[in-house]
């Protein structure tokens, strides 16, 4: 953890009341003091395993910050400590979400961040359609995510959708229709959540020399890269220089943290680009 993040955690712990800090991966319930709805900024975390996170968890990743919360599996707001996702409990770990939340909270001291983790490892984009069923996790990724998002919106305001997905569509047949499906998904999320202009931020797939990209993965990457040109209030986050954990698929823990910082940077750049009302 960076020194700034550690100091931020300590200072904010003095001004906010939190009854319990260390949380289990499943998100054991803890009583937290929620801010006013307009000061509770929510972020929707969706996609597959590189959004959920597979990095090695350290004690620093489980230091709670009372201004960075997550909606746990049971639907309770608790301090956001890794792992924040619960799609595959045996393998889930550090992801990009917590670092993203810390970065946003540090830059906006007047707000509290609420993370809504909904990623499902291994899910192709077809799983992110209404009614779609994911057999490995026995879940309905889209339907379950929308249900959680609506519950979260009772307490706060949606500020961005964070997306990292595409490995599951990196074959010729699926890649051919990936752009159509992703653009439809963005529109569907925005309509369903009554947030027509909410920022949509997509992260680049891992670029690992040990596993060269095929043409299908290059096509998926192109779709992600072109989002800012084709979709309003969208951003693309590069994975340049990031490394994997040894499996040539998932980022390592430090790369996830760096990815979180890059998503936060993209978020603030989109904010600054918004015209004044």
């Amino acid at each position: 953890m960076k020194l700034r993040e550690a100091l931020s955690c300590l200072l904010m712990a003095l001004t906010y009341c939190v009854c319990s800090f260390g949380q289990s991966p499943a998100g054991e319930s803890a009583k937290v003091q929620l801010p006013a709805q307009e000061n509770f900024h929510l972020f929707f975390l969706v996609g597959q395993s590189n959004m959920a996170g597979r990095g090695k968890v350290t004690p620093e990743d489980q230091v709670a910050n009372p201004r960075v919360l997550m909606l746990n599996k049971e639907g309770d707001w608790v301090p956001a400590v890794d792992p924040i996702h619960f799609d595959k409990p045996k393998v889930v770990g550090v992801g990009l979400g917590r670092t993203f939340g810390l970065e946003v909270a540090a830059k906006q001291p007047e707000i509290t961040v609420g993370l809504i983790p909904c990623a499902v490892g291994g899910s192709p984009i077809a799983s992110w359609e209404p009614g779609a069923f994911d057999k490995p996790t026995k879940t309905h990724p889209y339907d379950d995510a929308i249900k959680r998002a609506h519950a979260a919106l009772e307490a706060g305001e949606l500020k961005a959708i964070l997306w990292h997905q595409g490995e599951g569509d990196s074959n010729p047949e699926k890649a051919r229709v990936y752009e159509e499906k992703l653009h439809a998904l963005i529109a569907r999320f925005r309509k369903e959540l009554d947030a027509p202009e909410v920022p949509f931020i997509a992260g680049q797939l891992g670029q690992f020399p040990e596993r060269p990209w095929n043409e299908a993965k290059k096509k998926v990457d192109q779709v992600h890269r072109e989002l800012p040109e084709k979709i309003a209030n969208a951003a693309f986050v590069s994975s340049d220089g990031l490394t994997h954990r040894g499996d040539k698929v998932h980022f390592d823990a430090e790369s996830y943290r760096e990815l979180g910082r890059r998503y936060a940077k993209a978020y603030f750049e989109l904010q600054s680009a918004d015209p004044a009302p």
Side-chain angles (χ1 to χ4, degrees):
M1 177 183 292
K2 297 186 299 182
L3 178 60
R4 184 178 68 180
E5 293 174 358
L7 291 174
S8 177
C9 288
L10 178 60
L11 290 173
M12 288 183 285
L14 297 176
T15 58
Y16 283 77
C17 175
V18 177
C19 299
S20 177
F21 285 88
Q23 301 300 315
S24 72
E28 293 177 2
S29 180
K31 297 295 183 181
V32 298
Q33 180 177 320
L34 297 181
Q37 188 169 17
E38 65 270 18
N39 292 327
F40 194 22
H41 290 194
L42 306 181
F43 298 90
F44 198 28
L45 277 53
V46 283
Q48 56 184 118
S49 58
N50 269 325
M51 174 57 77
R54 300 294 187 251
K56 183 178 180 181
V57 179
T58 71
E60 290 182 340
D61 299 311
Q62 297 191 314
V63 175
N65 182 316
R67 283 185 45 241
V68 182
L69 308 179
M70 66 181 185
L71 190 71
N72 69 7
K73 185 177 182 179
E74 290 72 31
D76 298 316
W77 288 110
V78 299
V81 296
D82 281 316
I84 67 172
H85 275 84
F86 45 82
D87 59 316
K88 296 184 178 180
K90 291 184 179 180
V91 295
V92 72
V94 170
L96 64 91
R98 178 175 174 274
T99 298
F100 171 87
L102 290 170
E103 291 286 314
V104 172
K107 192 165 182 178
Q108 296 184 306
E110 73 282 4
I111 63 100
T112 295
V113 170
L115 305 175
I116 313 168
C118 295
V120 177
S123 58
I125 199 167
S127 294
W128 291 91
E129 296 176 356
F133 180 69
D134 182 68
K135 290 183 179 179
T137 57
K138 296 181 173 61
T139 63
H140 295 82
Y142 180 82
D143 296 340
D144 295 343
I146 289 296
K147 181 179 179 180
R148 284 171 54 77
H150 279 305
L153 286 168
E154 295 178 5
E157 297 181 356
L158 185 64
K159 294 298 178 179
I161 300 170
L162 311 188
W163 175 259
H164 200 290
Q165 190 274 344
E167 292 91 346
D169 290 271
S170 294
N171 67 57
E173 182 179 353
K174 293 179 180 179
R176 191 163 47 247
V177 296
Y178 187 77
E179 180 175 73
E180 177 185 349
K181 287 184 174 294
L182 182 58
H183 289 193
L185 175 65
I186 296 169
R188 193 162 56 244
F189 273 146
R190 287 173 167 174
K191 180 178 180 180
E192 180 66 37
L193 301 175
D194 194 23
E197 298 181 355
V198 69
F200 186 92
I201 306 173
Q204 188 175 29
L205 304 179
Q207 304 174 72
F208 308 131
E210 303 90 339
R211 191 178 184 184
W213 284 1
N214 58 22
E215 290 304 312
K217 187 166 286 190
K218 291 177 183 178
K219 175 61 178 175
V220 170
D221 179 66
Q222 180 183 359
V223 172
H224 290 154
R225 285 179 177 274
E226 293 178 353
L227 274 178
E229 303 168 19
K230 298 182 177 183
I231 298 293
N233 296 322
F236 169 76
V237 175
S238 168
S239 65
D240 288 354
L242 302 184
T243 53
H244 62 81
R245 66 174 192 175
D247 61 4
K248 306 175 187 177
V249 175
H250 301 102
F251 299 105
D252 57 29
E254 185 48 46
S255 291
Y256 279 121
R257 298 183 193 105
E258 173 59 23
L259 202 55
R261 289 188 282 270
R262 294 180 187 183
Y263 269 76
K265 182 175 183 290
Y267 171 64
F268 287 120
E269 287 175 349
L270 282 176
Q271 280 196 322
S272 64
D274 286 343

